[in-house]
Amino acid sequence: AEFLGSRISRYSDENTNNLDKTLVEMMRMILRILIIISSVFVIIRIFTGKPLTTLLAGLGIGGLAVALAAQDTLKNFFGSIMIMTDKPFNIGERIVAEGFDGVIEAIGFRSTRMRTLTGHQVIIPNDKMALSSIENIGRRPTIRRLTNITITYDTSPEKIEQALTIIRGILDNHEGMPDDLPPRVYFSEFNPDSLNILVLYWYSPPDYWKFMEFSEKVNLQIMKDFNQEGIKFAFPSTTTYLEQAEGQSLRLDLSRESREWEKGDK
C-alpha cells in the first residue's frame, strides 16, 4: 500500500498530469483500509476455517453495533468524501474557515489540518469543514486594494483636481493591472475633518508580497508628488468655534484643575 501510494504521490508531483494531491491522499487512505480489511478477513478465515460468506453474515450484526458506536467517526468520514468530491479547497491553498485563516496541509478521513498565518496548526473535523462557509483565498484571481486618501478642507478645487490627476497618473497602466479592471480614483466624500479621495486598484497575479511592494511604491510616490505640489494630508482634528454675546464673560474649563480664562466686560 505504501509503495503504491508513494508511486501515486510522485506521479501527482509531476507538472505533466492533472492528478491533485488531495485526491492522492484519498486514494492512499482507501488503499490502506482495503488492504487492512482484506488481511483481517484472510487471517480470520485461516484460523476459523469458515467460508467468506459465513464470516460476512456474522459480521452484519456486529457491524451495525460498531456503526452506532462510531457515529462521529462516520460523520467525519462522509465529510471527507464530500470535501474530496466537491473540492472547496486543495492541499497548499490558503482558506478562511471556522474563524481560522491558514494554508491547508493535509486532508484525512477524520480531520483537515491547517497551518495558520501565525504558525499554529489547527485540526478541524471534516464534518464541520463540509458544512462550513469557506473563503478560498488561494483561488482569487487578483488582490484588490481599497484605500482613502484624505486632504485638508482648505484645499482649493483646483488642487483637488490636481490631486486626482496625480494619483490617476501614478496608477495609469500600472504594474499587475488586469485589462478588465483599471484603477478607480474619485473625490468621494466630505468627511467631518477632511476631504476624501477614494482609490481602488487590482493586482495580478495575486502574489501578496509583490502586491505589498507595489503598494509601498504607490504610497511613496503619492507623498512625494503631494508635497511637491503643496497638497496637505488631513489628520483627525477638531476645531471649536466660540461665539460670545457682547458684555458677557467667557469661561473655558481646560482640565480637572479648572484652568479658567475669563474675558471681562469691555
Side-chain angles (χ1 to χ4, degrees), residues 98-111:
E98 293 290 311
F100 298 102
D101 185 349
V103 177
I104 297 297
E105 286 192 333
I107 304 171
F109 270 130
R110 194 195 72 81
S111 62

Side-chain angles (χ1 to χ4, degrees), residues 193-230:
D193 50 17
S194 63
L195 303 174
N196 197 83
I197 297 176
L198 175 68
V199 179
L200 270 167
Y201 60 83
W202 292 261
Y203 190 91
S204 178
D207 185 317
Y208 182 77
W209 299 118
K210 288 185 178 179
F211 163 76
M212 289 298 295
E213 289 175 2
F214 173 71
S215 296
E216 181 181 85
K217 294 176 185 177
V218 170
N219 293 342
L220 290 172
Q221 193 61 51
I222 290 173
M223 290 192 70
K224 290 176 182 178
D225 292 351
F226 274 30
N227 290 336
Q228 184 176 346
E229 298 299 330

Side-chain angles (χ1 to χ4, degrees), residues 93-96 100-104 114-122 137 140 208-209:
E93 290 182 337
R94 177 186 169 192
I95 69 166
V96 177
F100 298 102
D101 185 349
V103 177
I104 297 297
M114 179 193 302
R115 183 72 60 179
T116 66
L117 301 183
T118 56
H120 302 157
Q121 187 183 68
V122 178
I137 299 174
R140 59 184 172 181
Y208 182 77
W209 299 118

